[in-house]
Amino acid sequence: MSEKTITESLAAARIVPVVVIDNPDHAVPLGKALLDGGLDVIEVTYRTAGAQAALTALKALPELVVGAGTVVRPEQVDSAVEAGAQFLVSPGLSAAVVERAQAVGVPILPGVATPSDIMAALALGLDIVKLFPAATLGGPSAVKAFSAPFPGLRFVPTGGISAATVGDYLALPSVIAAGGSWMVERSLIESEDWAEITRRTAEAVELAGQTPATTGA
C-alpha cells in the first residue's frame, strides 16, 4: 500500500489499536473482533515470538490494514514486510530503519520525543511521525508545543492514551490518529474475550466519531 493510502486509512480510522499477540492463533479472531467493532487498522507489536506468524495469519483478513510496531532494526523491516506488514511503526527515530523502509517502499512512522528528533525526521523526508510516549511527554499539550514550530507535520501520538483522553488528542488539528491498547488489553486477548474487545472497539470508534476530524496542522 502506498503512503497516501496508509495515511488515508489512519485518518479514516482515527484510532490505531496497538496489540501484543503471544499466540499467533489469536491473530485472526482478534482481527475479526476489531472489524466487528468498526476498526480496520491494527498495529502488531513486533516484540513477541509469535508476532511474525501473527502478521502472516492476518493476511486472511484483506480488509484489515496491518502494521508492525516496535520495529527497531533494519533487518526487522524486511522480515515484517515479508510477513505481511503494510506499514511500520518504531518507538524512536533510526535513520537506518527509516531508510530501509523507504528503500522497500513501505510507509513508516518513527517515534519522536524531542524537537531534534522531529528535525531528523523532516530531513529524512517524513511528514507524519509517532509521538511517543505521548502521555509521559505531556499529553495534548506536548503535541501543541511540538506542532507550533513545525507547521505541516502530523502526529500519531501513542503511549499512555486511554478512552478518557483519546478525544483530547484527536481534537488537535495536527493529530491524524492516536494509538492505544485499552480496547485490546493483553489479558483480553489471552482469555479470548473477543466480545469484550469488540465492545471496547465500538466504544472507541464512537469516541473518535464525537471528535471533529482533523483538517491539517
Side-chain angles (χ1 to χ4, degrees):
M1 299 181 77
S2 69
E3 183 174 350
K4 182 175 183 291
T5 302
I6 294 296
T7 300
E8 290 173 349
S9 296
L10 295 177
R14 311 207 67 210
I15 293 180
V16 181
V18 181
V19 307
V20 177
I21 301 178
D22 296 290
N23 182 351
D25 291 340
H26 289 156
V28 171
L30 172 61
K32 289 180 178 177
L34 292 173
L35 289 168
D36 288 344
L39 278 181
D40 61 0
V41 174
I42 184 173
E43 177 190 330
V44 178
T45 55
Y46 209 54
R47 59 174 185 254
T48 68
Q52 188 164 349
L55 288 170
T56 299
L58 287 169
K59 290 180 180 180
L61 300 174
E63 63 270 47
L64 195 63
V65 179
V66 180
T70 324
V71 175
V72 298
R73 298 188 301 275
E75 59 267 26
Q76 289 180 318
V77 170
D78 297 313
S79 59
V81 171
E82 182 180 352
Q86 296 163 292
F87 69 97
L88 307 172
V89 184
S90 183
L93 180 67
S94 161
V97 170
V98 171
E99 289 168 351
R100 183 58 192 160
Q102 292 172 331
V104 298
V106 177
I108 185 167
L109 301 174
V112 299
T114 68
S116 295
D117 288 343
I118 293 174
M119 291 173 68
L122 293 173
L124 289 165
L126 301 171
D127 58 9
I128 303 175
V129 293
K130 166 182 173 174
L131 183 68
F132 179 81
T136 301
L137 292 171
S141 296
V143 178
K144 292 179 183 178
F146 284 129
S147 297
F150 302 107
L153 187 68
R154 289 176 291 174
F155 296 88
V156 179
T158 305
I161 298 176
S162 67
T165 62
V166 67
D168 295 331
Y169 289 94
L170 294 177
L172 300 175
S174 59
V175 171
I176 185 173
S181 58
W182 74 90
M183 77 292 289
V184 287
E185 288 181 2
R186 200 169 186 172
S187 60
L188 293 176
I189 297 172
E190 290 175 349
S191 63
E192 301 183 353
D193 194 346
W194 313 126
E196 177 62 12
I197 290 174
T198 293
R199 187 194 71 78
R200 293 191 187 188
T201 300
E203 183 181 71
V205 170
E206 184 178 359
L207 285 170
Q210 294 171 357
T211 307
T214 58
T215 57

